[in-house]
């Protein structure tokens, strides 16, 4: 290996400030939602904590530099959030039925579904979204395939599972993460 080859392997991708802004915005929103207050001290503390974290992670050249914050991307990010809330409520109602049933008749299992998302951060967002809905857990993410543990797989096939779990989020995440 020549010196130019080793130099090429050690170079970091160029730093892009919009990656810091993107990650900071996401972290700050999560901070504000988690704290559920608009108190000035909480807002300032959230900005002071999340900005250095965003700077460190985005400057390492990760996927945050590839997020599309276009008007279309922002619209779909908002629609993704709304879709997540709807699916979260539906999953919680289903879990409530299991909890209050006289006899719990479930058949847990693992299903394999495919995603059409190409970017690693889009796939990560999808996996985390699925893991946050009660009754499902992403056990492995391998390429475009997700292995999801479901609380009840009785009568479920892979295509129906993909349509029910992955597709509602996929169409919006594609516009944001590619």
């Amino acid at each position: 290996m020549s010196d130019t080859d080793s130099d090429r392997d050690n170079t970091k991708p160029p730093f892009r400030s919009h990656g810091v802004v993107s990650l900071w915005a996401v972290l700050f929103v999560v901070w504000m939602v988690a704290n559920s207050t608009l108190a000035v001290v909480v807002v300032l503390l959230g900005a002071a904590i999340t900005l250095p974290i965003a700077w460190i992670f985005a400057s390492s050249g990760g996927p945050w530099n590839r997020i599309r914050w276009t008007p279309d991307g922002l619209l779909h990010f908002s629609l993704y959030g709304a879709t997540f809330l709807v699916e979260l409520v539906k999953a919680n109602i289903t879990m409530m039925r299991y909890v209050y049933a006289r006899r719990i008749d479930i058949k847990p299992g693992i299903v394999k579904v495919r995603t059409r998302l190409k970017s690693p951060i889009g796939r990560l967002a999808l996996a985390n979204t699925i893991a946050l809905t009660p009754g499902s857990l992403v056990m492995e993410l391998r390429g475009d395939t997700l292995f999801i543990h479901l609380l009840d797989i009785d009568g479920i096939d892979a295509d129906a599972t993909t349509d029910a779990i992955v597709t509602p989020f996929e169409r919006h995440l594609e516009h944001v993460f590619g």
Side-chain angles (χ1 to χ4, degrees):
M1 184 190 290
S2 69
D3 288 336
T4 56
D5 289 339
S6 66
D7 289 341
R8 206 174 310 137
D9 292 340
N10 293 330
T11 59
K12 288 174 31 176
F15 176 74
R16 295 185 185 118
S17 61
H18 74 273
V20 173
V21 174
S22 298
L23 182 54
W24 176 78
V26 170
L27 292 175
F28 186 70
V29 167
V30 169
W31 171 271
M32 293 306 296
V33 168
N35 283 286
S36 302
T37 182
L38 293 176
V40 175
V41 174
V42 173
V43 172
L44 293 175
L45 184 62
I49 290 172
T50 56
L51 186 59
I53 293 171
W55 182 270
I56 291 167
F57 281 96
S59 64
S60 68
W64 289 101
N65 294 325
R66 294 184 207 88
I67 296 176
R68 300 179 199 152
W69 291 120
T70 62
D72 184 54
L74 289 172
L75 171 68
H76 280 280
F77 190 73
S78 300
L79 291 172
Y80 157 75
T83 302
F84 174 68
L85 287 176
V86 168
E87 294 297 323
L88 184 65
V89 168
K90 287 174 22 182
N92 276 294
I93 290 170
T94 301
M95 292 304 296
M96 193 170 57
R97 283 189 202 133
Y98 289 136
V99 170
Y100 289 111
R102 289 180 184 245
R103 183 172 161 257
I104 299 176
D105 186 26
I106 58 173
K107 293 184 177 84
I110 299 170
V111 294
K112 175 182 169 182
V113 297
R114 294 201 182 282
T115 179
R116 62 179 189 254
L117 295 173
K118 301 294 181 215
S119 74
I121 191 133
R123 291 176 183 165
L124 177 65
L126 177 64
N128 285 335
T129 302
I130 293 168
L132 287 172
T133 51
S136 61
L137 176 68
V138 177
M139 298 182 64
E140 186 174 353
L141 174 59
R142 189 183 315 150
D144 66 345
T145 305
L146 291 94
F147 296 90
I148 305 171
H149 182 276
L150 296 175
L151 191 60
D152 192 9
I153 62 166
D154 190 28
I156 292 180
D157 68 344
D159 293 334
T161 304
T162 300
D163 288 342
I165 296 175
V166 175
T167 305
F169 303 113
E170 234 177 14
R171 65 176 174 246
H172 300 303
L173 291 173
E174 268 184 320
H175 288 275
V176 178
F177 299 113

